[in-house]
Amino acid sequence: VNDPEVTLVGKNASRSGSLLDWVLRDYEWSYVSKNQANPLILFWSTMRNIVYALFAFVILVTAFLLITTRGKSLSIQKFIPRFLIAVFLVTLSFAITEAIYQTVDIFQGFFLKKPDGKVISSSDLLYIAFNYQDFKGMRLIGDEYNESAFISLLLVKLTALTYYAMAIILILRKIILWFFIIISPLFPLLLLYYPVRNTAKIWVGEFFRWLFYAPLFA
């Protein structure tokens, strides 16, 4: 007979599989058409220009420290090389983070692709032959079938939950890494002074932590 619980569980499984397939199919960090600029560059360039403006403030703060400490805590010989390296890293921050991201995507793609070159999908894990729109759940009536139906529904629910968890983690990873790419010009600025240098190290560590989530998942 028709059973609303079986229908609900089946449709949920089909939807979770479709979501996971979509995430795995579009796992690369971004898709850009030919002769089209990456949309992240617009946000990154705005942040870069703000950091360029902050460099003037940094010079003023450094000059104040040199005067007040008389070069004991910070000398001009140490500051100038750090400052030039920071300006260089700010200018190339998008290219550096983009290259790292794309390199990791290559390794991730190696594990996500089958020998025939196609990307792995939910059909390689829990195969769902029906589509979401047409599915109608049925179950056999009788006490002798209740235990089997309960376990089958439970396993399908757990699988759908696992699919959702994997897909959401990969989506969050991409959003967080996009955020780190946009604010990447701030990292070199934080390396100039010792009190905020640890903050930059933490940010870089978080970037690589989220970066390697996907290859480990794959």
Side-chain angles (χ1 to χ4, degrees), residues 95-169:
I96 294 172
T97 52
E98 179 186 29
I100 295 173
Y101 204 152
Q102 290 176 338
T103 302
V104 173
D105 277 346
I106 293 173
F107 286 101
Q108 181 187 357
F110 173 79
F111 292 107
L112 287 179
K113 290 182 180 178
K114 295 183 288 186
D116 58 2
K118 294 181 179 179
V119 177
I120 193 173
S121 65
S122 60
S123 61
D124 300 300
L125 305 173
L126 173 66
Y127 180 56
I128 301 172
F130 52 84
N131 58 37
Y132 178 88
Q133 292 81 2
D134 303 332
F135 177 72
K136 292 182 180 180
M138 312 282 288
R139 69 182 296 167
L140 290 173
I141 295 298
D143 293 339
E144 65 271 25
Y145 305 116
N146 288 339
E147 187 276 337
S148 176
F150 171 78
I151 293 298
S152 297
L153 292 174
L154 177 63
L155 292 176
V156 174
K157 288 178 182 178
L158 291 176
T159 303
L161 181 63
T162 304
Y163 280 4
Y164 280 124
M166 291 190 298
I168 290 172
I169 288 174

Side-chain angles (χ1 to χ4, degrees), residues 1-16:
V1 295
N2 288 325
D3 188 276
E5 183 184 6
V6 177
T7 301
L8 177 64
V9 173
K11 284 182 176 288
N12 186 37
S14 178
R15 184 186 292 276
S16 65

